[in-house]
Amino acid sequence: MKKLHGKATSKRIPTSNLSANRHSVQVALYRVQGMLTRAEPVTGAQKSYLKTLSDKAGEDAPEAQSKAEAAQRIDALQKKTGRGKD
């Protein structure tokens, strides 16, 4: 609370500002998580799924170096093969 002329007052923050701030925090967290994922090595499960999708697409299995890179390649191969759709 703020004091104005010796009296305590509370300043109301418009709801639209809270929504915008929440969105900004979510975007920042998403970016940090993405940076961490780019630094992590590709998992065995991702390698295996890349191989499965590549075989179905008739391509050589791509060599992914990180989780993020593997996820991007998996998305592209899923679109190409039609797998992974709900």
Side-chain angles (χ1 to χ4, degrees):
M1 284 198 202
K2 274 185 155 182
K3 284 195 173 189
L4 183 64
H5 303 291
K7 296 180 183 177
T9 61
S10 68
K11 183 177 179 184
R12 299 197 130 229
I13 300 172
T15 315
S16 61
N17 287 350
L18 290 176
S19 180
N21 289 338
R22 186 177 303 125
H23 177 71
S24 296
V25 169
Q26 288 173 336
V27 168
L29 286 173
Y30 180 77
R31 287 181 180 155
V32 168
Q33 289 170 344
M35 289 187 312
L36 294 175
T37 303
R38 282 192 294 273
E40 295 176 22
V42 64
T43 66
Q46 284 177 313
K47 285 181 184 179
S48 176
Y49 194 44
L50 278 169
K51 170 93 172 90
T52 301
L53 288 171
S54 319
D55 289 346
K56 182 161 176 131
E59 297 180 2
D60 292 332
E63 288 294 320
Q65 301 299 317
S66 69
K67 281 185 177 182
E69 187 179 344
Q72 287 176 339
R73 293 181 182 195
I74 286 170
D75 286 344
L77 286 168
Q78 282 179 330
K79 287 177 185 170
K80 184 173 183 175
T81 61
R83 288 188 73 170
K85 293 182 180 179
D86 294 327

